[in-house]
Amino acid sequence: MEKEKTIMDQDTVSLDDEGNAVVIIDQTLLPGRTELIRLKTAEEIWDAIYLLKVRGAPAIGVTAAFGIYLLAKSCKTENYDIFLAEFRKNKEYLDSSRPTAVNLSWALKRMERVVTDHASLPVPQILSLLKKEAEEIRDEDIRVCRRIGEYGLTLVKKGDGILTHCNAGQLATVRYGTATAPIYLGQEKGYGFHVFADETRPLLQGARLTAFELASAGVDVTLICDNMASTVMKNGWVNAVFVGCDRVAANGDTANKIGTSGVAILAAHYGIPFYVCAPTSTIDLATPTGADIRIEERKPEEVSEMWYRERMAPDGVKIFNPAFDVTDHSLITGIVTEYGVLRPPYEEAFRSLPGR
Ligand code: MRU
């Protein structure tokens, strides 16, 4: 009998067969509805990223790469200078959709290099190269996540309890995820992990996305509120923490979903190893420390109203809603990349990476 298709059989981001639209799973509708949407215009792509219809650092990068290709394709000119000016305008616009995840600007800069490195070619040929580059960014993401999974798996043993925060899963990448990659690979090999997914206030990526995708893949997952992490750790149910990240500074400080640094502090208190899973594209050597990372602040209504039937805070109360926080490098046991598990001192470890 043919295996029933699940969300895991669908790439989070793809280009449609005709090359006319970026196709994404609308993550704001999960877990209730699985709907694919087609993005064609600059505004649709910007909104999808800003509104978190597509989210997670690597998935945003791939969306931007396919998106800028589509926008370049719709610029009907044979004149290189006009083409480049229009390309840069679209690049700046897409880049402004979210500030913290470096993968967005990383992918857009990579696409821009294709245009500037081939200034002598006719525009149609540049367009084919842009398509190829976007596909390569997508394919690399799949390969890199699989490698992160392989290295991550060496850090845990059969039957372990693993805690994760937010969604650094398949839905945050094209396939496998980063923090979930060791879990999926372990699942294939019968490791029998027990996973705790923090619900991740205020946008519930842990509840709506991580718990959903892990359960769809048959992983033993237990959902907890963010403030229960200490209890499950104290009970001895967690052997390792795996989280994703949006930007790693040159000293190893790491920005990830709000609440991650609290989990790291708890893990240190209970003597539990805390691993950050990061494609090397997320390591930003131009940002010296975590204090230099720009942290996105989002609307107050996400805290006071979203998900509730009625407003759950007094009118006019002050609300602070940072979307990310920075985990100090001293709290990170290892950074799991596609080249292996990096250990402190991170400055030195980053220098040993290929191409750095
Ligand atoms: O605001 P989000 O949902 O885009 O935040 C996502 C995260 O913080 C992820 O942990 C991070 O992007 C890594 S995804 C592999």
Side-chain angles (χ1 to χ4, degrees):
M1 206 171 63
E2 209 182 304
K3 196 175 139 257
E4 201 191 321
K5 282 208 183 269
T6 72
I7 186 114
M8 306 306 289
D9 299 300
Q10 172 68 46
D11 282 354
T12 305
V13 184
S14 57
L15 188 67
D16 74 352
D17 290 343
E18 298 76 36
N20 287 334
V22 185
V23 182
I24 60 163
I25 301 171
D26 183 347
Q27 299 191 34
T28 58
L29 303 176
L30 292 173
R33 283 198 339 257
T34 304
E35 233 172 69
L36 297 180
I37 51 173
R38 295 163 57 79
L39 314 172
K40 289 185 170 177
T41 66
E43 289 71 27
E44 284 168 353
I45 299 163
W46 194 97
D47 278 359
I49 296 174
Y50 176 72
L51 296 171
L52 274 57
K53 292 181 181 188
V54 59
R55 29 73 46 210
I60 295 173
V62 176
T63 304
F66 280 136
I68 194 90
Y69 160 67
L70 280 187
L71 301 177
K73 208 171 95 166
S74 64
C75 167
K76 302 283 176 223
T77 180
E78 298 280 315
N79 178 305
Y80 177 82
D81 292 331
I82 298 176
F83 180 77
L84 178 64
E86 187 66 14
F87 186 95
R88 287 192 163 143
K89 200 177 90 203
N90 285 322
K91 172 183 169 251
E92 293 309 310
Y93 177 61
L94 294 186
D95 206 10
S96 70
S97 54
R98 292 194 80 189
T100 305
V102 71
N103 307 57
L104 177 61
S105 52
W106 169 84
L108 287 168
K109 276 188 204 136
R110 209 169 130 168
M111 295 294 281
E112 183 183 36
R113 256 194 318 272
V114 171
V115 180
T116 50
D117 286 355
H118 297 93
S120 59
L121 291 183
V123 169
Q125 277 187 44
I126 299 177
L127 281 174
S128 324
L129 292 174
L130 280 172
K131 181 165 186 245
K132 231 169 112 208
E133 189 71 1
E135 287 168 343
E136 181 50 27
I137 290 174
R138 172 204 56 199
D139 294 347
E140 255 176 51
D141 181 58
I142 299 171
R143 285 197 301 271
V144 160
C145 286
R146 176 119 199 145
R147 294 297 289 162
I148 287 175
E150 285 160 2
Y151 286 116
L153 198 55
T154 65
L155 302 168
V156 278
K157 49 186 196 322
K158 288 191 170 173
D160 270 357
I162 295 173
L163 185 137
T164 189
H165 189 77
C166 191
N167 175 267
Q170 162 130 339
L171 288 163
T173 63
V174 181
R175 264 180 245 167
Y176 301 113
T178 56
T180 55
I183 298 169
Y184 288 131
L185 263 56
Q187 171 83 352
E188 280 172 22
K189 295 178 197 242
Y191 269 59
F193 294 133
H194 307 283
V195 179
F196 293 94
D198 284 352
E199 72 174 347
T200 317
R201 283 275 294 151
L203 293 180
L204 308 185
Q205 288 93 333
R208 295 186 303 105
L209 309 175
T210 304
F212 171 65
E213 62 162 86
L214 289 177
S216 310
V219 174
D220 173 7
V221 56
T222 303
L223 175 64
I224 57 171
C225 298
D226 300 326
N227 52 9
M228 297 168 190
S230 174
T231 294
V232 295
M233 288 183 180
K234 189 170 187 179
N235 288 353
W237 297 343
V238 180
N239 302 93
V241 175
F242 284 107
V243 295
C245 67
D246 287 80
R247 192 181 294 249
V248 183
N251 69 343
D253 290 350
T254 297
N256 190 48
K257 179 53 51 193
I258 190 73
T260 303
S261 68
V263 176
I265 292 165
L266 288 176
H269 176 77
Y270 290 111
I272 298 167
F274 180 92
Y275 297 110
V276 172
C277 298
T280 51
S281 55
T282 311
I283 300 172
D284 178 15
L285 297 184
T287 297
T289 73
D292 304 298
I293 299 175
R294 190 172 147 214
I295 300 292
E296 175 185 8
E297 274 192 46
R298 296 183 62 90
K299 290 192 195 140
E301 292 77 24
E302 290 180 351
V303 175
S304 55
E305 286 166 38
M306 213 165 169
W307 321 115
Y308 296 125
R309 276 215 193 96
E310 56 189 89
R311 187 178 162 88
M312 278 296 145
D315 283 337
V317 72
K318 282 192 279 183
I319 291 174
F320 176 47
N321 184 18
F324 299 93
D325 63 19
V326 172
T327 299
D328 194 87
H329 60 276
S330 61
L331 296 167
I332 301 172
T333 314
I335 300 182
V336 189
T337 73
E338 69 273 28
Y339 296 111
V341 182
L342 309 182
R343 303 281 183 176
Y346 291 114
E347 286 96 334
E348 228 168 83
F350 296 157
R351 273 198 297 272
S352 71
L353 288 169
R356 304 278 175 158

